[in-house]
Amino acid sequence: MTESRTPGPLPQRTAGAKSVWGALAAVVLLAVSACSSTPDRAVGDRELRELGSSGRAVQARERAEERLRDVAGAYADRTALSLGLVVVHDVCVPGSGPGWFFQQKTDDYKIACSMNATAYYGADPEHLGDALDEILTAGDRDRSGPGGSGGSIPFTHTGYGKRLVAYYRGEGPNPQGAKAAEPTRLAASGQTLTWDTTRVRDSRRLVEEPYAGLVDDPPVSRVVRDPKAATVATVRKRYGVVIRLELPYRDYFGVLKNGRTRTAAPDVSPEPDSS
């Protein structure tokens, strides 16, 4: 964490809202496009773009994207998953102006920027249990490191994970119950994994394509697809099953109303296991 004059963290987020600015991005972007300056915004559109395009903002943006891509790459490097597509989205939104009746998290900010990433991997549908087992094994190793954390993968064999692998290997019952739908989701430390169903072929539930409504208008809204022409459908056609990793919006850059800047690389490392 660095600050141009005095150190200090970005505003703390409440539980269940990993990033205030990321969660409100769609609403704020509508306001940005509707008008250039309103009483409930700290800055107008022109200043928002100038601050979001500054050298310090660009450097923080590059570091944030590199961190997210490293996490996405870790899943492919440490398992048999094949990384087929990465979608990065970052937004810069204006801080709160005098028009807000209630106190806002961005009251002290001119602008605040946050970023997320979604990665899509291909896997063999006949060995989905093995693929999940490899992910959990990588997470086990991360949790067994110094301090019980420090790695990129938070999912482990503890409890549900072990039963999930047994189910997909045909060695155990559905961990969600005998009459429950096929399990297709794991979530831990802000990361979420979802995958195509493989057990019921005639009514499969599939991972969707990336949301097509994201606007690429940097620095207000920036969208990166890598590779550009890749789709979830092409990944599925090549490998058989798609596994999606979602990394939440995290704050990486802010400009205070006093002109100071704050930067922070998105922290997507697993939290220590408190169980």
Side-chain angles (χ1 to χ4, degrees):
M1 181 78 64
T2 61
E3 182 177 321
S4 57
R5 296 184 186 178
T6 57
L10 292 173
Q12 293 296 314
R13 294 174 292 275
T14 58
K18 295 299 183 182
S19 168
V20 172
W21 306 306
L24 296 177
V27 175
V28 177
L29 288 176
L30 290 175
V32 169
S33 62
C35 54
S36 60
S37 181
T38 61
D40 59 352
R41 296 177 54 190
V43 297
D45 187 53
R46 181 175 179 178
E47 188 173 2
L48 172 66
R49 291 179 180 278
E50 289 177 350
L51 294 174
S53 300
S54 68
R56 186 178 289 270
V58 171
Q59 292 176 357
R61 186 170 297 122
E62 291 174 348
R63 290 196 299 269
E65 182 172 340
E66 181 180 9
R67 173 66 176 127
L68 291 173
R69 285 180 177 270
D70 284 346
V71 175
Y75 282 78
D77 294 341
R78 300 172 63 186
T79 72
L81 299 181
S82 299
L83 183 56
L85 171 64
V86 175
V87 179
V88 177
H89 182 223
D90 73 77
V91 294
C92 290
V93 301
S96 309
W100 288 100
F101 182 76
F102 298 104
Q103 184 176 3
Q104 305 295 312
K105 291 291 186 181
T106 55
D107 281 349
D108 295 331
Y109 280 75
K110 287 186 176 182
I111 73 164
C113 302
S114 58
M115 181 183 298
N116 87 325
T118 306
Y120 301 84
Y121 307 86
D124 182 353
E126 301 300 325
H127 297 91
L128 182 56
D130 294 338
L132 293 173
D133 184 53
E134 290 175 347
I135 294 172
L136 302 182
T137 298
D140 290 337
R141 293 185 181 129
D142 285 346
R143 287 297 177 96
S144 65
S149 186
S152 300
I153 301 176
F155 306 102
T156 69
H157 282 91
T158 303
Y160 183 83
K162 185 176 182 179
R163 297 194 301 271
L164 183 68
V165 171
Y167 167 76
Y168 271 105
R169 283 177 167 169
E171 300 170 353
N174 187 330
Q176 298 186 148
K179 297 183 179 180
E182 179 178 342
T184 59
R185 184 178 184 274
L186 279 174
S189 299
Q191 297 188 26
T192 303
L193 283 175
T194 52
W195 54 88
D196 297 337
T197 56
T198 61
R199 292 300 186 92
V200 183
R201 297 288 182 176
D202 56 348
S203 60
R204 294 186 68 190
R205 288 176 287 128
L206 305 177
V207 171
E208 305 89 350
E209 295 287 344
Y211 176 58
L214 296 177
V215 177
D216 187 28
D217 183 23
V220 177
S221 176
R222 172 175 166 268
V223 183
V224 178
R225 292 178 64 111
D226 184 21
K228 290 183 178 181
T231 67
V232 172
T234 58
V235 175
R236 182 177 295 113
K237 183 177 180 180
R238 180 174 181 180
Y239 298 101
V241 163
V242 171
I243 298 178
R244 175 179 60 199
L245 169 67
E246 296 173 271
L247 302 175
Y249 283 96
R250 297 292 173 90
D251 314 317
Y252 69 86
F253 179 74
V255 179
L256 293 165
K257 288 179 179 177
N258 61 14
R260 297 175 181 175
T261 59
R262 290 179 177 175
T263 61
D267 182 8
V268 287
S269 299
E271 300 172 356
D273 191 352
S274 60
S275 59

